[in-house]
Amino acid sequence: MTAQEPGGKPEQSGVDLARVALRAAREQARARGDAARQKKQARRGGGLRSGARADGRDPMALGAAINRLLTERGWEAPAAVGGVMGRWPQIVGEDVAKHCEPERYDEDERVLVVRCDSTAWATNLRLLAPTLVARLNEDLGHGAVRQIKVQGPSGPARRYGPLRAPGSKGPGDTYG
């Protein structure tokens, strides 16, 4: 069980604190660099001309631009988990991937939700969950996934109509 702060949020570990500190330092450095660049441009005439030296307006490779965007916005963990969803068969194996697929990732709670096509596979995946969490954290970094929430198959949509017995829940009676 994790310790909690008085506000009800889980206490951050050393890795989380380091990420937050690194992100804050990068933002401060970027802000100082932008301010210095603006002063320099104001002294030179402030125009939008490009010189012989590289600056922030120069074109860059697509991969570098995407990496910069991910870093600036703090989207490293969601992007990494998205990559896991694409490589799901290699991570869990072909047999499990045929019957279970990741649905979504909650970044705040660090929970990966997986839907299985039968209750037997859902039970099997619940037993494998600690191993999968360890494997995912090994691939993504410590603490990226804290829990795998396994959901079984969903029943048919509940329809309410005139031909219903009093007190019945409809077709949901057999899927509860």
Side-chain angles (χ1 to χ4, degrees):
M1 181 160 231
T2 60
Q4 291 196 351
E5 295 175 356
K9 292 184 179 179
E11 193 174 316
Q12 293 184 338
S13 67
V15 175
D16 294 332
L17 291 173
R19 282 190 185 124
V20 170
L22 178 62
R23 191 172 294 133
R26 284 181 178 166
E27 288 173 5
Q28 289 174 354
R30 193 174 302 113
R32 283 193 307 269
D34 288 343
R37 191 177 306 123
Q38 287 173 356
K39 279 185 183 178
K40 195 173 186 179
Q41 284 180 351
R43 268 185 289 174
R44 283 192 298 177
L48 291 176
R49 58 192 172 144
S50 180
R53 291 183 184 89
D55 62 7
R57 296 174 288 133
D58 288 341
M60 60 175 34
L62 181 62
I66 290 174
N67 287 336
R68 180 175 164 189
L69 180 68
L70 291 174
T71 303
E72 287 175 356
R73 305 288 174 141
W75 294 339
E76 295 101 346
V81 171
V84 164
M85 290 183 178
R87 296 184 327 233
W88 185 250
Q90 289 86 19
I91 293 171
V92 298
E94 293 293 328
D95 289 338
V96 176
K98 287 178 191 174
H99 300 282
C100 305
E101 62 181 29
E103 249 184 20
R104 66 182 177 275
Y105 174 70
D106 183 4
E107 183 181 3
D108 297 331
E109 299 292 323
R110 296 187 183 160
V111 174
L112 179 65
V113 178
V114 179
R115 172 133 352 242
C116 297
D117 62 2
S118 71
T119 55
W121 277 103
T123 303
N124 189 18
L125 196 65
R126 282 186 191 103
L127 294 173
L128 291 173
T131 307
L132 287 177
V133 167
R135 190 179 302 168
L136 290 169
N137 284 331
E138 180 181 304
D139 191 29
L140 301 173
H142 180 70
V145 177
R146 289 188 181 162
Q147 179 185 8
I148 294 179
K149 188 174 182 181
V150 181
Q151 295 180 343
S154 58
R158 295 184 180 191
R159 294 180 298 263
Y160 298 103
L163 301 176
R164 198 175 106 201
S168 169
K169 295 180 183 174
D173 279 356
T174 58
Y175 292 95

